[in-house]
Amino acid sequence: MNRFRTSKFKNCIPKIPKKDAWIGDIGAGSSSSIGNNIKCGPRLIAFNTDSSGVLGITSLDVGDGEKRKVSRLSCHSDLVTDFAFSPFDENLLVTGSSDQTVKLWHLSEPGDSGTQRGSLSGNGGQVRALQFHPCADNLLVTAAGKTAQIWDISREQTLAAVDSHGDHVQSVCWSLDGVLLATSCKDKRLRIFDVRKSSGAIENAQGHDSNKDSRVLWTNSNKHLLTSGFNQVRERELLLWDIHNFSRPVTSFSLDASSGLLIPLYDADTGLLILAAQGEGSIYCMEVGTEPPALTQISQCVTEEQSRGLALVPKIRLDVMSCELLRLLQLTDKFIIPISYSVPRKSVQELQKDLFPDTNGCSSALSAQSWWDGDNKQVQKVSLDPSYKPGHSYNSSKVAVNNRREQDIVSPDAEPSEGSAVSSPTSSLTSPSSGIVSSTSQRSLQSILGPSSRFRHTQGTVLHRDNHITNLRGVSQSTPGESDGFCLNHERLALPLSGPGGQIAVLELSQPGRLPDTLPTIQNKAPVTDLIWDLFNTHKLVTGGEDGRIRVWLIPLKGLTETLTEPDQVLVGHNERIYTVRFHPCASDILASSSYDLAVRIWNLQTGQNVLTLQGHGDQIFSLSWSPEGKYLATCSKDQKIRIYEPRTSKQPCQEGAGPEGARGARVVWVCDGKYLLVSGFDGRSERQLLLYSAEDLSSGPVTSQSLDVSPSTLIPYYDPDTGLLLLTGKGDTRMFLYEVTQEPPHFLECNSFISSDPHKGFQFLRKADCAVRDVEVLQAFRLSASSLEPVAFRVPRVKKEFFQDDVFPPTRKSWEPALSAGDWLSGKDKLQGTISLCPQGMIPVSEAPIEAPVRKILPSSVYLQEKSDEQKKEELLTAMVAKLGNRDDPLPQDAFEGVDEDEWD
């Protein structure tokens, strides 16, 4: 009779919401990993993006009227193969990759970058799968190559390695009580391990007949396994196994002959199983039991979009009072679609206990070490009833550390100001004249946490579309990493195009809008490797080519109206392709160039002669940079050295020091009035990092270093000497890092990042004189995307914008005017340009703004009319009596009384 039983979930039907409820603009792309591609925690969703090694992060829910934020977390240098949220720490994400590493990340809010908390190396191959232990905190299993490893991530140590597999491990899964571990393998075998007793399998069985990919998971009985794979004729099938009789499956269920592996998602509370495959639109729902029929299909739906991945929302986030049993997140190329599975009930006044039994809570039962020592405890169950459901308590040690840093770090003597909340440990003091005043609690925070940047709230904003240059066609994708990709001055920009002949488009900034389909171009005759505008002549463009030639082009006064084929000059001297060309910052017609021939040459454009040649590099020259006054030239090279030259004195470097360990690329720039050199490069693990050197002593190594993230593109730095702001981004990135660089430790003060909706091909900045000073715009740039150029304004929020903010706009150098001629500099002279004030006519500097008199606070009449307490009345009466008695010249009350005659006493 059991096979005729009716399931209480028979009417559980999936509901796909309208398109306005989908999560869009996620940039997921079409690349797929070997994992589920999407995972959901109690607060955040993580998913694979179209960029290798990068995950997208967004909120599970957003408030009414709140705009959804999607940030990108650059995790690895190669494909992210699997990842998971900790069941006991909503901020902890673990990622595995084809680069053979597993990394731990602390995630805060969407829109903010995650912070790496650790790394597990030595996995022995591509990480194919990982899973947190269901009961013990900080316990993780990873599968790579032929081995499954058990990790205590709090100590970043391996507890055990299970290597008795005959081929690559395809999936791993803990039993729900956390005692046993099951694996599926490419050798078609299923294995069960008790890793605390032995590294060998306690059970071993022939699994699916095909060696194609397979998945394994435990059911809620802790005695049964469910596997998804392919049979001998390549049909997709499910097999249910009893571990006490492991020689053959209890039952099987065949679906179809499609090629995509069915991803199984199992809910232990209900026994419901969701199945779907990447690249398909069908989603199956089944019920898994232990009595025949053990596998029962409940429903099948076909969605509008094809699945790239699937994830279940945690039980604590479901609408249980609407009888929502499951909520599935379907990842597609452009959307995350929430699909709800509910059971219709006529009247729901209280929790339906038959549908929603108590579920696992968010507090771990034991530590990784105590589990390894032999303890077995189950996570405490919690009710899903909203009427008395307790708050989620996450007890991970990593969260405890973070909470101590961000919440409990306030000094005991600090008293928060009324109505303020200590939410940002990076709050700093700002001049009261700017309209931003810090509280006592913020001062206490600053004394404990150290200084923070006054530009920390700088916001990057893409300006209105009317200012964009659109319909860019054929943008070159082959400019080398040593080039910025394009260049601009305050009048026009130059942009290499794809195709033969080294074509370059020249666009006028004063003419935004849609470009025609065809443009007049410069024909460079050789592919362009780098290009730059003359700092003192907006019509002179210099290009370097793969043929080793440097060409100087003169653009007509009204812009490029016809194809330009003949350069004004051709500089011949290098024997190999050009890497970089850079103009002297103060002297006119002085140009430095580097080449594959490992030489740096200094040119006098007035004569077209190579006047100086610098030597000493042992490998490719990544970058070169003039010091602010142009006396020195710094370079960084693939031979892991940074060098400083004094070109007019010696051909050999006057200083040399160790540069970044990585050989993938690097950039160098002078900061802090030429007292320091900043180098952006890669460390030995391919993480992008910043290094700061004292320009007086390179041999001592970096003064400080800052690790950022993992990404294949070199960070291109731009430094603003007026504010000390450093902006860094790479080609193909969507994020721009902002730091204030100071001469005092900690040297790097982090500011708000700028996040773009799509990857950019390059960034170039205008002069300080081109900024909208009245809007407190400290920098303005142009962002190159795939088909457009967008102006981006970086503004500092201020209250008193009617005043000139002279604390962020000091006198700026007239960098567009030469201080020396080429002959003067070659003769040994050094001179900086003069400065100019950016204060608009008629504006008063904020430092000279009159101090406003305090305004008397007038209380509303309701304060006076409200009923007073007895204590208030006594206090007012006592105050009035004291005030009255204080004047001793006033007559006493009895002095005014009239007496009675003596005979009246009779």
Side-chain angles (χ1 to χ4, degrees), residues 12-29:
C12 181
I13 300 174
K15 181 180 179 181
I16 303 175
K18 294 181 179 179
K19 209 162 187 176
D20 55 4
W22 298 5
I23 302 174
D25 298 327
I26 59 172

Side-chain angles (χ1 to χ4, degrees), residues 283-588:
I283 299 177
Y284 303 89
C285 178
M286 306 189 70
E287 185 179 7
V288 182
T290 56
E291 301 293 335
L295 298 174
T296 306
Q297 184 168 331
I298 302 295
S299 67
Q300 177 185 357
C301 71
V302 179
T303 61
E304 297 180 31
E305 305 282 339
Q306 293 185 346
S307 300
R308 283 198 56 237
L310 298 169
L312 288 177
V313 172
K315 269 303 186 59
I316 58 175
R317 300 305 305 274
L318 299 181
D319 185 4
V320 294
M321 300 310 292
S322 297
C323 295
E324 185 183 33
L325 292 176
L326 301 173
R327 192 185 308 160
L328 178 69
L329 298 180
Q330 181 194 24
L331 178 67
T332 69
D333 289 345
K334 297 181 180 180
F335 300 97
I336 297 176
I337 304 174
I339 302 175
S340 180
Y341 286 79
S342 302
V343 173
R345 292 287 170 96
K346 289 184 179 180
S347 177
V348 180
Q349 301 295 331
E350 56 186 33
L351 184 70
Q352 306 293 299
K353 292 285 188 179
D354 61 324
L355 298 180
F356 299 102
D358 291 351
T359 191
N360 283 344
C362 303
S363 299
S364 60
L366 65 168
S367 67
Q369 187 59 49
S370 59
W371 177 86
W372 180 247
D373 292 338
D375 290 347
N376 289 317
K377 293 182 181 179
Q378 301 304 298
V379 172
Q380 184 178 359
K381 299 284 187 176
V382 296
S383 173
L384 291 173
D385 193 338
S387 62
Y388 59 89
K389 183 173 64 177
H392 316 315
S393 173
Y394 295 92
N395 64 349
S396 170
S397 60
K398 290 185 177 293
V399 163
V401 171
N402 185 66
N403 287 342
R404 286 196 296 271
R405 289 177 180 171
E406 295 185 0
Q407 298 173 2
D408 303 330
I409 202 165
V410 181
S411 168
D413 298 329
E415 297 182 0
S417 59
E418 183 179 354
S420 65
V422 182
S423 60
S424 174
T426 58
S427 299
S428 70
L429 304 180
T430 310
S431 170
S433 61
S434 67
I436 303 174
V437 184
S438 60
S439 65
T440 306
S441 61
Q442 289 174 325
R443 294 189 183 95
S444 302
L445 280 172
Q446 183 178 359
S447 64
I448 296 172
L449 297 174
S452 60
S453 173
R454 58 186 172 144
F455 301 104
R456 66 191 181 280
H457 299 304
T458 299
Q459 297 175 347
T461 305
V462 178
L463 299 185
H464 192 271
R465 188 174 177 84
D466 290 346
N467 302 300
H468 295 194
I469 298 175
T470 60
N471 196 37
L472 280 178
R473 294 173 176 265
V475 177
S476 176
Q477 306 294 326
S478 60
T479 53
E482 294 77 28
S483 172
D484 293 349
F486 74 108
C487 64
L488 61 76
N489 54 42
H490 64 280
E491 292 183 1
R492 54 184 58 87
L493 63 84
L495 175 68
L497 302 178
S498 58
Q503 299 181 70
I504 304 169
V506 177
L507 310 177
E508 301 296 313
L509 298 184
S510 60
Q511 300 174 11
R514 182 180 176 86
L515 296 173
D517 293 344
T518 57
L519 295 170
T521 60
I522 295 175
Q523 299 289 334
N524 196 62
K525 299 181 182 178
V528 177
T529 54
D530 198 19
L531 70 171
I532 190 170
W533 291 101
D534 190 328
L535 300 177
F536 314 121
N537 186 343
T538 59
H539 301 279
K540 183 183 290 186
L541 177 70
V542 172
T543 63
E546 287 191 354
D547 58 357
R549 302 292 190 265
I550 298 173
R551 294 171 175 85
V552 182
W553 304 87
L554 291 181
I555 308 302
L557 295 178
K558 295 183 179 181
L560 197 63
T561 57
E562 59 183 7
T563 300
L564 198 60
T565 58
E566 293 300 325
D568 184 66
Q569 285 179 296
V570 179
L571 309 180
V572 180
H574 288 292
N575 300 323
E576 302 285 351
R577 63 180 289 186
I578 305 297
Y579 283 142
T580 311
V581 286
R582 290 291 182 268
F583 273 101
H584 192 285
C586 304
S588 60

Side-chain angles (χ1 to χ4, degrees), residues 743-761:
Q743 299 185 36
E744 301 79 21
H747 298 293
F748 296 120
L749 305 179
E750 188 172 2
C751 305
N752 280 344
S753 296
F754 168 74
I755 307 294
S756 58
S757 58
D758 59 322
H760 39 252
K761 310 297 182 184

